[in-house]
Amino acid sequence: MSGRYALFRWSPAFAALPGFPADQQPHWNIAPNGQVLLLRAGRDGREAARARWGLTPAWLQDLSKTPAHARAETLAEQPMFREPFRLRRGLLPANGFYEWRGSARKRPYWMTSGDSLMYFAALWEVYPVGGHEYLSVAMITQEAASLRRPLILGEHEQALWLSNDTPPEQLAALLAKPQVALRERALATLVNDPKLDAPECLTPA
């Protein structure tokens, strides 16, 4: 499962998106329940916002049961994801993500597409707390052999995913699209510590 990813480098044009937090910091070890950067459709194009990684509908009382991931194969039928899939689709920008493989002792790998940024398909929700409204998000994942990886969208696919006018059959095709070819690099085990959020996470094996 793609339980961790990183966003530590972006272009000036990306930082100029409406809503991009002025105090946005680089992160090398983003984990579920943390704050992430969400892109969604705005009036004049994409806009950025902070969101909690763990989908939180307004009706959910137990915040320990907020899903960080939604399976591409089943999300259209699941009550938790049906409405966000229809109305609230977003993107999670990343420089790459981590994948652990092995049996006895799992080895972390750094996975990238080779581009400066990757964009993971996501669903978002608004949840009210104390008179304020906050955003939450779930990353969509696909099966990849015995693992699961983020659903990575290209530029044209991103536009289809964010548009409210995209027909259901095209959205279904995006959910079933082939996995993107990725570059990988074996890492030292420093990234295993979820509290470490520094360039050392990418220390090669």
Side-chain angles (χ1 to χ4, degrees):
M1 180 64 73
S2 48
R4 313 253 199 92
Y5 70 97
L7 178 61
F8 51 79
R9 185 185 301 117
W10 50 83
S11 69
F14 183 79
L17 285 172
F20 189 91
D23 60 347
Q24 178 70 24
Q25 298 296 311
H27 292 288
W28 286 265
N29 203 351
I30 301 170
N33 299 320
Q35 293 292 306
V36 299
L37 192 66
L38 166 69
L39 303 185
R40 53 185 181 159
R43 291 182 179 179
D44 301 312
R46 297 182 188 184
E47 61 181 33
R50 283 208 177 111
R52 178 180 179 270
W53 188 5
L55 198 71
T56 313
W59 49 262
L60 190 67
Q61 300 297 316
D62 186 352
L63 294 186
S64 69
K65 296 182 178 179
T66 55
H69 302 92
R71 289 176 172 255
E73 303 89 340
T74 58
L75 65 83
E77 289 78 40
Q78 293 188 347
M80 175 77 80
F81 303 127
R82 266 197 314 247
E83 186 175 307
F85 174 52
R86 189 168 59 90
L87 301 173
R88 293 181 288 279
R89 298 183 298 274
L91 300 168
L92 296 175
N95 296 110
F97 65 94
Y98 300 102
E99 190 169 87
W100 279 262
R101 298 186 218 144
S103 50
R105 186 179 181 185
K106 292 186 181 294
R107 163 71 62 187
Y109 288 81
W110 173 239
M111 312 296 295
T112 67
S113 65
D115 297 325
S116 57
L117 281 179
M118 309 162 71
Y119 293 87
F120 306 150
L123 306 174
W124 60 272
E125 280 278 16
V126 176
Y127 68 100
V129 177
H132 296 278
E133 289 189 336
Y134 298 88
L135 297 177
S136 65
V137 65
M139 176 194 293
I140 296 176
T141 65
Q142 292 179 303
E143 186 175 0
S146 60
L147 303 168
R148 297 197 68 82
R149 289 178 176 171
L151 173 56
I152 302 168
L153 300 178
E155 187 173 352
H156 177 63
E157 294 167 335
Q158 295 165 36
L160 289 174
W161 182 253
L162 292 180
S163 174
N164 289 329
D165 299 325
T166 302
E169 58 270 20
Q170 283 190 290
L171 293 175
L174 290 177
L175 292 176
K177 70 184 289 284
Q179 276 282 326
V180 172
L182 297 173
R183 300 178 182 179
E184 63 179 57
R185 185 173 79 222
L187 299 177
T189 57
L190 295 172
V191 71
N192 291 359
D193 181 0
K195 295 180 181 179
L196 178 64
D197 188 13
E200 288 77 16
C201 290
L202 297 179
T203 301

Short mmCIF file of all heavy atoms in Angstrom, two decimals, residues 55-57 59 70 75-76 78-90 122-126 136-138 140 161 164 171:
data_model
loop_
_atom_site.label_atom_id
_atom_site.label_comp_id
_atom_site.label_asym_id
_atom_site.label_seq_id
_atom_site.Cartn_x
_atom_site.Cartn_y
_atom_site.Cartn_z
N LEU A 55 -10.35 10.53 4.57
CA LEU A 55 -11.64 11.07 4.14
C LEU A 55 -12.62 11.12 5.31
O LEU A 55 -12.85 10.11 5.98
CB LEU A 55 -12.21 10.23 3.00
CG LEU A 55 -13.31 10.92 2.18
CD1 LEU A 55 -12.71 12.03 1.33
CD2 LEU A 55 -14.03 9.90 1.30
N THR A 56 -13.21 12.29 5.53
CA THR A 56 -14.06 12.53 6.71
C THR A 56 -15.37 13.16 6.29
O THR A 56 -15.50 14.39 6.26
CB THR A 56 -13.34 13.43 7.73
OG1 THR A 56 -11.99 12.97 7.91
CG2 THR A 56 -14.05 13.43 9.07
N PRO A 57 -16.38 12.37 5.94
CA PRO A 57 -17.70 12.94 5.66
C PRO A 57 -18.27 13.64 6.89
O PRO A 57 -17.90 13.31 8.04
CB PRO A 57 -18.54 11.70 5.30
CG PRO A 57 -17.55 10.63 4.98
CD PRO A 57 -16.34 10.91 5.81
N TRP A 59 -20.99 13.32 8.30
CA TRP A 59 -21.77 12.45 9.18
C TRP A 59 -20.92 11.51 10.01
O TRP A 59 -21.41 10.84 10.93
CB TRP A 59 -22.77 11.62 8.35
CG TRP A 59 -22.18 10.92 7.16
CD1 TRP A 59 -22.20 11.35 5.87
CD2 TRP A 59 -21.47 9.68 7.13
NE1 TRP A 59 -21.56 10.46 5.04
CE2 TRP A 59 -21.10 9.41 5.79
CE3 TRP A 59 -21.11 8.75 8.12
CZ2 TRP A 59 -20.39 8.28 5.41
CZ3 TRP A 59 -20.40 7.61 7.74
CH2 TRP A 59 -20.05 7.39 6.40
N ALA A 70 -8.84 4.75 -1.24
CA ALA A 70 -10.06 4.23 -1.86
C ALA A 70 -9.64 3.34 -3.02
O ALA A 70 -8.83 3.75 -3.86
CB ALA A 70 -10.94 5.36 -2.35
N LEU A 75 -14.72 1.76 -5.57
CA LEU A 75 -15.15 2.99 -4.93
C LEU A 75 -16.50 3.51 -5.45
O LEU A 75 -17.25 4.16 -4.71
CB LEU A 75 -14.08 4.07 -5.05
CG LEU A 75 -13.68 4.62 -6.43
CD1 LEU A 75 -14.63 5.70 -6.91
CD2 LEU A 75 -12.26 5.15 -6.40
N ALA A 76 -16.83 3.24 -6.71
CA ALA A 76 -18.08 3.76 -7.28
C ALA A 76 -19.31 3.15 -6.60
O ALA A 76 -20.40 3.75 -6.64
CB ALA A 76 -18.14 3.48 -8.78
N GLN A 78 -19.22 1.97 -3.19
CA GLN A 78 -19.14 2.05 -1.73
C GLN A 78 -19.78 3.34 -1.22
O GLN A 78 -19.49 4.43 -1.73
CB GLN A 78 -17.69 1.96 -1.28
CG GLN A 78 -17.07 0.59 -1.55
CD GLN A 78 -15.71 0.43 -0.92
OE1 GLN A 78 -15.10 1.41 -0.48
NE2 GLN A 78 -15.23 -0.78 -0.87
N PRO A 79 -20.64 3.25 -0.20
CA PRO A 79 -21.33 4.44 0.31
C PRO A 79 -20.39 5.57 0.73
O PRO A 79 -20.71 6.74 0.52
CB PRO A 79 -22.11 3.89 1.51
CG PRO A 79 -22.32 2.44 1.19
CD PRO A 79 -21.09 2.01 0.46
N MET A 80 -19.25 5.23 1.29
CA MET A 80 -18.30 6.25 1.74
C MET A 80 -17.77 7.08 0.57
O MET A 80 -17.48 8.27 0.72
CB MET A 80 -17.14 5.59 2.49
CG MET A 80 -16.02 6.52 2.90
SD MET A 80 -16.41 7.56 4.34
CE MET A 80 -16.10 6.37 5.67
N PHE A 81 -17.63 6.46 -0.60
CA PHE A 81 -16.94 7.11 -1.72
C PHE A 81 -17.84 7.50 -2.88
O PHE A 81 -17.41 8.26 -3.75
CB PHE A 81 -15.85 6.16 -2.26
CG PHE A 81 -14.86 5.74 -1.22
CD1 PHE A 81 -14.60 4.38 -1.00
CD2 PHE A 81 -14.18 6.67 -0.44
CE1 PHE A 81 -13.67 3.99 -0.04
CE2 PHE A 81 -13.26 6.28 0.51
CZ PHE A 81 -13.01 4.93 0.71
N ARG A 82 -19.07 6.99 -2.92
CA ARG A 82 -19.93 7.20 -4.10
C ARG A 82 -20.14 8.68 -4.42
O ARG A 82 -19.94 9.11 -5.55
CB ARG A 82 -21.30 6.54 -3.86
CG ARG A 82 -21.41 5.13 -4.40
CD ARG A 82 -22.86 4.69 -4.51
NE ARG A 82 -23.64 5.01 -3.33
CZ ARG A 82 -24.15 4.10 -2.50
NH1 ARG A 82 -23.96 2.82 -2.73
NH2 ARG A 82 -24.86 4.47 -1.47
N GLU A 83 -20.55 9.45 -3.43
CA GLU A 83 -20.84 10.87 -3.70
C GLU A 83 -19.59 11.68 -3.98
O GLU A 83 -19.58 12.48 -4.93
CB GLU A 83 -21.62 11.48 -2.54
CG GLU A 83 -22.07 12.91 -2.85
CD GLU A 83 -22.95 13.49 -1.77
OE1 GLU A 83 -23.95 12.84 -1.41
OE2 GLU A 83 -22.63 14.59 -1.28
N PRO A 84 -18.51 11.53 -3.19
CA PRO A 84 -17.29 12.25 -3.57
C PRO A 84 -16.79 11.90 -4.97
O PRO A 84 -16.30 12.77 -5.69
CB PRO A 84 -16.28 11.81 -2.50
CG PRO A 84 -17.08 11.34 -1.37
CD PRO A 84 -18.37 10.83 -1.93
N PHE A 85 -16.93 10.64 -5.37
CA PHE A 85 -16.52 10.23 -6.71
C PHE A 85 -17.33 10.97 -7.77
O PHE A 85 -16.82 11.39 -8.81
CB PHE A 85 -16.67 8.72 -6.87
CG PHE A 85 -16.41 8.22 -8.26
CD1 PHE A 85 -15.23 8.54 -8.93
CD2 PHE A 85 -17.34 7.43 -8.91
CE1 PHE A 85 -14.99 8.08 -10.22
CE2 PHE A 85 -17.10 6.96 -10.20
CZ PHE A 85 -15.92 7.29 -10.85
N ARG A 86 -18.60 11.19 -7.49
CA ARG A 86 -19.47 11.86 -8.45
C ARG A 86 -19.25 13.37 -8.47
O ARG A 86 -19.30 14.00 -9.53
CB ARG A 86 -20.94 11.54 -8.12
CG ARG A 86 -21.95 11.99 -9.15
CD ARG A 86 -23.31 11.39 -8.88
NE ARG A 86 -23.80 11.74 -7.57
CZ ARG A 86 -24.54 12.82 -7.31
NH1 ARG A 86 -24.85 13.65 -8.30
NH2 ARG A 86 -24.98 13.07 -6.10
N LEU A 87 -18.95 13.95 -7.29
CA LEU A 87 -18.97 15.41 -7.19
C LEU A 87 -17.67 16.06 -6.72
O LEU A 87 -17.47 17.26 -6.95
CB LEU A 87 -20.08 15.83 -6.21
CG LEU A 87 -21.50 15.41 -6.55
CD1 LEU A 87 -22.43 15.75 -5.39
CD2 LEU A 87 -21.97 16.07 -7.84
N ARG A 88 -16.81 15.32 -6.06
CA ARG A 88 -15.65 15.96 -5.41
C ARG A 88 -14.37 15.16 -5.69
O ARG A 88 -13.88 14.43 -4.84
CB ARG A 88 -15.89 16.09 -3.89
CG ARG A 88 -17.02 17.07 -3.56
CD ARG A 88 -17.25 17.21 -2.09
NE ARG A 88 -17.87 16.04 -1.50
CZ ARG A 88 -19.18 15.79 -1.53
NH1 ARG A 88 -20.01 16.60 -2.14
NH2 ARG A 88 -19.67 14.69 -0.96
N ARG A 89 -13.86 15.35 -6.88
CA ARG A 89 -12.63 14.67 -7.29
C ARG A 89 -11.47 15.66 -7.26
O ARG A 89 -11.63 16.83 -7.62
CB ARG A 89 -12.79 14.07 -8.69
CG ARG A 89 -13.90 13.02 -8.77
CD ARG A 89 -13.99 12.40 -10.15
NE ARG A 89 -14.32 13.36 -11.18
CZ ARG A 89 -15.57 13.72 -11.50
NH1 ARG A 89 -16.61 13.20 -10.85
NH2 ARG A 89 -15.78 14.60 -12.47
N GLY A 90 -10.31 15.19 -6.82
CA GLY A 90 -9.16 16.06 -6.71
C GLY A 90 -7.87 15.34 -7.07
O GLY A 90 -7.88 14.18 -7.51
N ALA A 122 -7.64 11.52 -6.42
CA ALA A 122 -8.10 11.56 -5.03
C ALA A 122 -9.57 11.97 -4.99
O ALA A 122 -10.13 12.48 -5.97
CB ALA A 122 -7.26 12.54 -4.22
N LEU A 123 -10.19 11.73 -3.84
CA LEU A 123 -11.55 12.19 -3.55
C LEU A 123 -11.48 13.08 -2.31
O LEU A 123 -10.68 12.83 -1.41
CB LEU A 123 -12.48 11.01 -3.26
CG LEU A 123 -12.53 9.90 -4.32
CD1 LEU A 123 -13.39 8.74 -3.81
CD2 LEU A 123 -13.07 10.43 -5.63
N TRP A 124 -12.31 14.12 -2.27
CA TRP A 124 -12.27 15.00 -1.09
C TRP A 124 -13.65 15.22 -0.51
O TRP A 124 -14.67 15.03 -1.16
CB TRP A 124 -11.58 16.32 -1.42
CG TRP A 124 -12.22 17.17 -2.50
CD1 TRP A 124 -11.98 17.10 -3.83
CD2 TRP A 124 -13.20 18.19 -2.31
NE1 TRP A 124 -12.74 18.03 -4.51
CE2 TRP A 124 -13.49 18.71 -3.60
CE3 TRP A 124 -13.86 18.73 -1.22
CZ2 TRP A 124 -14.42 19.74 -3.80
CZ3 TRP A 124 -14.78 19.76 -1.40
CH2 TRP A 124 -15.04 20.25 -2.67
N GLU A 125 -13.66 15.62 0.75
CA GLU A 125 -14.87 15.90 1.51
C GLU A 125 -14.64 17.14 2.38
O GLU A 125 -13.50 17.48 2.71
CB GLU A 125 -15.24 14.73 2.42
CG GLU A 125 -15.95 13.58 1.74
CD GLU A 125 -17.45 13.82 1.58
OE1 GLU A 125 -17.89 15.00 1.72
OE2 GLU A 125 -18.18 12.85 1.33
N VAL A 126 -15.73 17.77 2.78
CA VAL A 126 -15.69 18.85 3.76
C VAL A 126 -16.25 18.32 5.07
O VAL A 126 -17.25 17.62 5.08
CB VAL A 126 -16.54 20.05 3.29
CG1 VAL A 126 -16.58 21.14 4.35
CG2 VAL A 126 -16.00 20.61 1.99
N SER A 136 -10.86 17.12 3.74
CA SER A 136 -10.23 15.82 3.95
C SER A 136 -10.14 15.12 2.60
O SER A 136 -10.84 15.48 1.65
CB SER A 136 -11.03 14.98 4.94
OG SER A 136 -12.32 14.68 4.39
N VAL A 137 -9.28 14.11 2.52
CA VAL A 137 -9.02 13.51 1.22
C VAL A 137 -8.65 12.04 1.36
O VAL A 137 -8.12 11.62 2.40
CB VAL A 137 -7.88 14.29 0.51
CG1 VAL A 137 -6.58 14.14 1.26
CG2 VAL A 137 -7.71 13.86 -0.93
N ALA A 138 -8.98 11.26 0.34
CA ALA A 138 -8.54 9.87 0.22
C ALA A 138 -7.82 9.69 -1.11
O ALA A 138 -8.27 10.20 -2.14
CB ALA A 138 -9.72 8.91 0.31
N ILE A 140 -6.69 7.46 -4.27
CA ILE A 140 -7.20 6.31 -4.99
C ILE A 140 -6.04 5.41 -5.39
O ILE A 140 -5.02 5.89 -5.90
CB ILE A 140 -7.99 6.76 -6.23
CG1 ILE A 140 -9.22 7.57 -5.78
CG2 ILE A 140 -8.43 5.56 -7.06
CD1 ILE A 140 -10.02 8.15 -6.91
N TRP A 161 -10.47 14.15 -15.02
CA TRP A 161 -10.79 13.77 -13.64
C TRP A 161 -11.40 14.94 -12.86
O TRP A 161 -12.34 14.76 -12.08
CB TRP A 161 -9.52 13.27 -12.96
CG TRP A 161 -9.73 12.80 -11.57
CD1 TRP A 161 -9.35 13.42 -10.41
CD2 TRP A 161 -10.38 11.58 -11.15
NE1 TRP A 161 -9.71 12.69 -9.31
CE2 TRP A 161 -10.34 11.55 -9.74
CE3 TRP A 161 -10.97 10.53 -11.84
CZ2 TRP A 161 -10.88 10.50 -9.01
CZ3 TRP A 161 -11.52 9.48 -11.11
CH2 TRP A 161 -11.47 9.48 -9.72
N ASN A 164 -16.41 18.51 -14.00
CA ASN A 164 -17.74 18.02 -13.64
C ASN A 164 -18.52 17.53 -14.85
O ASN A 164 -19.59 16.95 -14.71
CB ASN A 164 -18.54 19.13 -12.95
CG ASN A 164 -18.01 19.43 -11.56
OD1 ASN A 164 -17.50 18.54 -10.88
ND2 ASN A 164 -18.12 20.67 -11.13
N LEU A 171 -14.83 8.37 -16.64
CA LEU A 171 -14.27 8.26 -15.29
C LEU A 171 -13.95 6.80 -14.97
O LEU A 171 -12.90 6.50 -14.38
CB LEU A 171 -15.27 8.82 -14.27
CG LEU A 171 -15.53 10.32 -14.34
CD1 LEU A 171 -16.63 10.71 -13.35
CD2 LEU A 171 -14.26 11.11 -14.04
#
